[in-house]
Amino acid sequence: MESVVIWGSGAIGGTIGACLRRAGHDVLFVDVVPEHVEAISAGKLRIEGPVVDFTIGGPAALPEQVKGRHKLIILAVKAHHTEAATRALLPHLAEDGAVVSCQNGLNELTIAEIVGRQRTIGAFVNFYADYMAPGHISYAKRGAVVVGEMDGSRTPRLEALHRMLRDFDEDAVLSDNVFGYLWGKGGYGAILKASALTNDTIADFIAAPERRVLILRLVQEILAVAAAEGVTPLGFDGFDPIAFMQRDEAAIEASMQRMIAFNRGSAKPRSGVWRDLAIRKRQTDVVAQLAPVRAAARGHGLATPIADKLAELISEIEQGRREIGPEAADALSLAAQS
């Protein structure tokens, strides 16, 4: 069995690591929360929900306690912690090793600047999980899991990683266009970010007639940047980016209905962004996720007024200057309509 370090063992990393550990892989869990590290070390990491329900443990450490150098590190921290976490893991990455970005956003670009493109592997994950408390993670719904080399090549290390991740999700995909998935998630993820402005469930937000124009124009704004970058966005879990890009009303409606059904079938009704704002009362990674999109847009002379307003509204909620509610979404809808 393969050996892997999970750097950031919360919702995403903890779920993947626990499932890999259960499958027999050698897993080292790394996290910044001492109580979480202690629970994992004591064999008390519970992954619960409709997908799986089991308790497991394994070697676990705080970042400053990690020793040695490792060939495979899965990075699963929030986007705004990517640079600091990558610099922290760098001394522990083998010369012929690789960092895999199991995060939301285009974090591979930041990672590659620090460890080098040759030691960076792209990944896209869309399963639903939440960190509930130290030693307790809710795994609410399976979703797409994709890995790919930055240059689209097929390498022995990528094939080995793909085999490993199939022990987490048997439908994991090996792709020659991982950035297509990441930009596709940029479009879909923008909907989830916008939904966090309200207390609506993701499904209810997508289904709301008063949010239709906002969703269409926000997604189209993000995907226009992908097109300018020369990337063909790929769909997943009901989301059809090409329909939005081509403004195909029938295909958009079909995609919206599939996204509604996908999210209605989830034990996690609201986004992780909403949970950070409403429950954990902490900074989200919305601004960090949107940063490379907005920077790429500026490089192509494209305006992103809706994404800009979304970042502004989320920041206001984080700072306590605005409440979560329909008025926040109305403000974003106004930006989309103008």
Side-chain angles (χ1 to χ4, degrees):
M1 287 291 185
E2 300 287 338
S3 175
V4 61
V5 175
I6 305 291
W7 201 286
S9 300
I12 299 300
T15 304
I16 294 173
C19 291
L20 293 180
R21 177 78 175 169
R22 186 174 66 159
H25 294 280
D26 179 10
V27 179
L28 170 62
F29 297 86
V30 179
D31 202 80
V32 297
V33 179
E35 297 83 1
H36 193 48
V37 170
E38 290 169 10
I40 297 171
S41 296
K44 297 179 180 179
L45 174 59
R46 184 184 177 197
I47 310 297
E48 58 90 16
V51 181
V52 293
D53 196 331
F54 66 95
T55 300
I56 201 164
L62 297 167
E64 59 269 24
Q65 297 172 332
V66 177
K67 301 183 186 308
R69 303 184 79 180
H70 306 269
K71 289 197 66 170
L72 182 63
I73 300 177
I74 290 179
L75 183 60
V77 300
K78 294 280 189 176
H80 55 303
H81 298 312
T82 299
E83 181 177 354
T86 305
R87 294 195 186 282
L89 68 80
L90 181 58
H92 304 291
L93 180 63
E95 284 299 323
D96 60 345
V99 178
V100 185
S101 172
C102 286
Q103 304 168 267
N104 286 319
L106 297 165
N107 301 288
E108 286 82 354
L109 303 177
T110 299
I111 295 167
E113 288 179 358
I114 298 170
V115 308
R117 287 182 68 88
Q118 75 281 4
R119 293 199 290 175
T120 306
I121 296 177
F124 160 71
V125 294
N126 195 50
F127 64 90
Y128 286 12
D130 278 319
Y131 174 94
M132 308 302 288
H136 183 197
I137 295 171
S138 169
Y139 182 10
K141 187 173 181 62
R142 292 178 63 201
V145 177
V146 181
V147 290
E149 294 283 6
M150 297 274 281
D151 62 1
S153 62
R154 187 174 184 127
T155 60
R157 71 177 188 179
L158 181 64
E159 292 174 343
L161 172 63
H162 179 236
R163 286 194 298 272
M164 172 189 282
L165 287 176
R166 289 192 67 189
D167 285 337
F168 166 61
D169 191 305
E170 62 184 4
D171 295 325
V173 172
L174 187 157
S175 175
D176 62 0
N177 183 19
V178 71
F179 277 99
Y181 283 101
L182 292 173
W183 275 99
K185 180 63 179 288
Y188 176 73
I191 301 173
L192 304 190
K193 295 174 180 65
S195 75
L197 295 172
T198 76
N199 288 308
D200 293 343
T201 66
I202 298 168
D204 285 346
F205 185 85
I206 296 172
E210 67 271 21
R211 304 303 174 204
R212 179 73 175 224
V213 171
L214 165 59
I215 290 171
L216 292 179
R217 294 185 179 172
L218 176 58
V219 171
Q220 288 163 351
E221 180 178 282
I222 300 294
L223 297 183
V225 184
E229 287 281 284
V231 175
T232 300
L234 298 176
F236 54 89
D237 298 335
F239 178 59
D240 180 0
I242 303 304
F244 284 84
M245 294 175 76
Q246 295 180 343
R247 302 174 188 267
D248 183 330
E249 288 296 329
I252 290 171
E253 177 60 26
S255 177
M256 297 275 277
Q257 292 304 318
R258 289 194 300 270
M259 287 190 287
I260 292 167
F262 179 83
N263 283 285
R264 290 232 190 273
S266 173
K268 176 181 176 176
R270 295 174 179 85
S271 71
V273 173
W274 178 88
R275 184 174 176 79
D276 280 343
L277 292 172
I279 306 298
R280 304 189 73 183
K281 306 293 186 181
R282 67 175 188 174
Q283 182 183 6
T284 73
D285 61 354
V286 167
V287 173
Q289 283 191 45
L290 289 174
V293 177
R294 296 162 73 192
R298 289 192 296 272
H300 294 288
L302 296 174
T304 55
I306 313 173
D308 296 345
K309 186 65 175 180
L310 175 56
E312 175 188 316
L313 291 166
I314 291 290
S315 295
E316 289 177 356
I317 294 172
E318 291 171 346
Q319 296 161 13
R321 295 189 291 117
R322 181 182 286 273
E323 296 293 323
I324 296 174
E327 294 82 5
D330 290 344
L332 189 61
S333 293
L334 188 61
Q337 290 163 357
S338 61

